[in-house]
Amino acid sequence: MKRLTALLAPFALAAGIAAAESPSPIEWRPPASFDASKPGLGLEPLEGITSELLYDPKPSNASPETGGVYESVLHGTYNHHQQFVVAGEYVIVYWTNHVQDENGPGQRILARVGAFRDGGSRIDWGKPEEIVELAPPAMPAGRRPASDDSDLITGAFMDGTLQLIGGRLFLRGRLLLCDGWTDSMLYHHSANRSPVPDKHYRHTRQARFRFDIYWILMHFVQEWKLENGRLLPASELYISGERAPAELQVTPTIRKKMGPFNPPYDTAKPLEESPLDFRQALTGKQIRFQRYPKYAPGTAKLAANGKNGLAHHAEFLRPDGSSVVIRDNLLDPTTYYAAEKNHPDDAYSPAVKTNLFGTAMPAAGELPDGTVWIAGSDMKRFNTFITWSKDGRVFDRTKLLIYQRHKAIPGISKPAEAGAQYFQAISRGGTIYLVYSIAKEQIGITRIPMETLK
């Protein structure tokens, strides 16, 4: 056995080196003027683009002590996790909104409806006062506590996805909880409510314990409709699956009691009691507006270097039919990572490091002529750039989209200064619309004529 091990060792070492030296699916060729230390990265601005704000919030004083109620749909300086749905001539952009902190108590979902005009080359967004509260707070709104040392859970927040199924709009949402901080990405999301080992849990954020721990409490669903460009509820809200537990085992030694929920979550009927046509509609095929790359079980966060640090992703199709996923790596926030595959049904292998500068959530897509583009940002999110390629392999054109240093009202996981980040891309006619949050406070959109990338 020792002799066999000795004989195989060189082959194992060679295999390890080969894995470590796996070529990147993309090559970035930055302009000679590129300088990561300069405002604007030393890049030439892309001509012909325009930007505007979809949401410019007012500060909120909502707190549990005063009832935890938002003053209006225009209040709350944390705004992030933007997504969109296109329904005919309308586009719905929606996002999470909170008093001031990421995933704080009473985080809700807001939405704004726009109408495509002039063949999609512009969008009419109506008035800010027409913004809709798509999902109200599940618990009284207030600042996220500095320490999760309470025995009573009062910090439920939500996220959700607006789905277009058979021409009908359904909001599928989740009530979640952020409780505690961990030093391991393995416990960043505790979807099955399994207790986190005590040694990997702290009540407060610390040097190594910088990943907050998410717990899924409950799912819900509600139908909405568009009437003359107005977004209106079309059903009551139903609880999908089990209700939130009365208690939550956070670690083997920490157990917490669930606090009361706000209406309608406290008395909402189970989905099984909804009308039959409602339930049948939910089983229909959903129209996808974002791509969801496929990974083998347990590998969604795994990089080729063996570290579980991969987070957000953007996917594009090459002209030759192969596809590539671009990832940011929370444990190496200097360049993007990437993986490729040749068949749509295949799962992506763990991504390898590329030489493409950038971090945070990228966006990517294709033009009708097959040109592939990627939009990304730097670590401080002051600079947004776009790079494009004819073959989806060599990206040899790069321009600056946005340079912005917005002074924000800081909060937990919300900086005092940042720019555009976490991009979503809407393509309509000959235009790309890039939607993003600005310092996790404002919601912005940039219009990019496709002809500028040819």
Side-chain angles (χ1 to χ4, degrees):
M1 179 61 71
K2 289 183 179 180
R3 177 174 174 80
L4 179 60
T5 302
L7 289 172
L8 292 178
F11 296 99
L13 178 61
I17 293 174
E21 296 178 352
S22 295
S24 168
I26 65 171
E27 177 190 349
W28 182 50
R29 295 179 182 174
S33 62
F34 173 77
D35 187 337
S37 66
K38 289 183 177 180
L41 304 176
L43 300 174
E44 293 183 5
L46 184 67
E47 300 292 337
I49 68 172
T50 55
S51 300
E52 63 179 313
L53 291 180
L54 295 186
Y55 191 68
D56 189 13
K58 301 176 182 179
S60 174
N61 294 316
S63 68
E65 290 74 21
T66 58
V69 178
Y70 291 94
E71 295 86 344
S72 77
V73 292
L74 301 179
H75 288 77
T77 55
Y78 175 84
N79 296 278
H80 199 39
H81 305 119
Q82 54 284 342
Q83 300 180 70
F84 72 92
V85 165
V86 175
E89 293 305 306
Y90 295 102
V91 57
I92 305 167
V93 174
Y94 60 102
W95 62 92
T96 56
N97 165 269
H98 183 257
V99 175
Q100 197 169 332
D101 303 311
E102 181 167 279
N103 300 333
Q107 179 172 287
R108 58 183 177 170
I109 302 175
L110 301 180
R112 188 168 186 178
V113 180
F116 289 109
R117 305 295 189 207
D118 302 331
S121 63
R122 68 180 182 90
I123 302 175
D124 180 359
W125 292 102
K127 300 177 181 178
E129 294 76 13
E130 297 170 343
I131 289 171
V132 174
E133 187 180 67
L134 200 58
M139 285 183 172
R143 295 297 308 276
R144 187 169 164 181
S147 178
D148 297 313
D149 54 2
S150 174
D151 293 330
L152 180 67
I153 295 172
T154 59
F157 66 94
M158 71 181 61
D159 65 12
T161 303
L162 195 59
Q163 301 177 345
L164 185 61
I165 305 175
R168 297 168 68 172
L169 286 168
F170 295 92
L171 176 68
R172 285 188 176 273
R174 305 183 299 176
L175 301 189
L176 305 104
L177 173 72
C178 274
D179 187 289
W181 301 81
T182 183
D183 59 349
S184 172
M185 284 284 287
L186 293 175
Y187 307 108
H188 186 31
H189 291 274
S190 186
N192 59 1
R193 300 183 192 154
S194 298
V196 175
D198 285 290
K199 68 177 182 179
H200 291 295
Y201 176 94
R202 295 291 185 273
H203 288 299
T204 58
R205 187 172 186 172
Q206 301 174 15
R208 286 192 303 111
F209 291 79
R210 61 189 182 93
F211 304 112
D212 43 5
I213 304 170
Y214 288 67
W215 308 82
I216 297 177
L217 303 179
M218 190 163 65
H219 293 80
F220 64 89
V221 61
Q222 184 176 20
E223 184 174 4
W224 287 77
K225 61 183 178 181
L226 276 170
E227 286 190 359
N228 299 319
R230 296 180 62 211
L231 192 59
L232 303 169
S235 78
E236 57 185 292
L237 183 144
Y238 296 96
I239 301 300
S240 176
E242 297 181 358
R243 290 188 179 274
E247 293 183 328
L248 186 66
Q249 194 75 44
V250 178
T251 76
T253 62
I254 300 174
R255 190 171 182 84
K256 300 190 176 186
K257 183 179 179 180
M258 190 67 61
F261 290 103
N262 289 339
Y265 311 98
D266 56 345
T267 59
K269 299 175 184 176
L271 181 59
E272 291 74 18
E273 295 182 18
S274 66
L276 179 59
D277 78 298
F278 183 95
R279 281 174 280 151
Q280 289 177 333
L282 287 172
T283 64
K285 185 177 181 180
Q286 176 189 351
I287 297 178
R288 298 282 188 177
F289 299 99
Q290 294 89 13
R291 290 171 178 163
Y292 298 88
K294 182 179 179 181
Y295 308 103
T299 68
K301 297 180 182 296
L302 184 65
N305 60 12
K307 295 183 179 180
N308 279 281
L310 299 179
H312 311 95
H313 43 222
E315 188 178 36
F316 65 79
L317 304 179
R318 290 182 178 135
D320 65 7
S322 60
S323 60
V324 176
V325 62
I326 304 294
R327 307 289 303 269
D328 58 347
N329 191 330
L330 298 182
L331 300 178
D332 181 19
T334 54
T335 63
Y336 289 113
Y337 280 58
E340 63 184 334
K341 64 179 184 178
N342 293 318
H343 193 279
D345 294 333
D346 292 342
Y348 282 108
S349 59
V352 300
K353 187 171 185 174
T354 75
N355 74 326
L356 177 59
F357 171 83
T359 187
M361 184 173 176
E366 313 86 31
L367 304 187
D369 68 357
T371 297
V372 173
W373 60 268
I374 302 171
S377 64
D378 59 350
M379 185 59 188
K380 292 186 177 180
R381 291 86 187 268
F382 295 153
N383 302 281
T384 302
F385 63 87
I386 188 166
T387 184
W388 63 100
S389 165
K390 285 297 183 183
D391 60 4
R393 298 178 186 276
V394 176
F395 287 77
D396 53 4
R397 299 292 303 278
T398 304
K399 293 290 183 71
L400 180 72
L401 283 177
I402 306 165
Y403 172 73
Q404 185 173 22
R405 297 182 66 164
H406 175 67
K407 301 288 186 181
I409 298 175
I412 293 179
S413 296
K414 179 178 182 284
E417 185 181 42
Q421 55 190 309
Y422 292 77
F423 306 105
Q424 295 283 348
I426 306 166
S427 293
R428 184 76 169 193
T431 306
I432 300 168
Y433 293 95
L434 208 60
V435 181
Y436 45 84
S437 66
I438 303 170
K440 298 185 180 180
E441 182 165 287
Q442 300 169 319
I443 302 296
I445 186 168
T446 293
R447 173 186 172 276
I448 308 169
M450 290 183 183
E451 62 184 16
T452 63
L453 303 182
K454 293 183 178 179

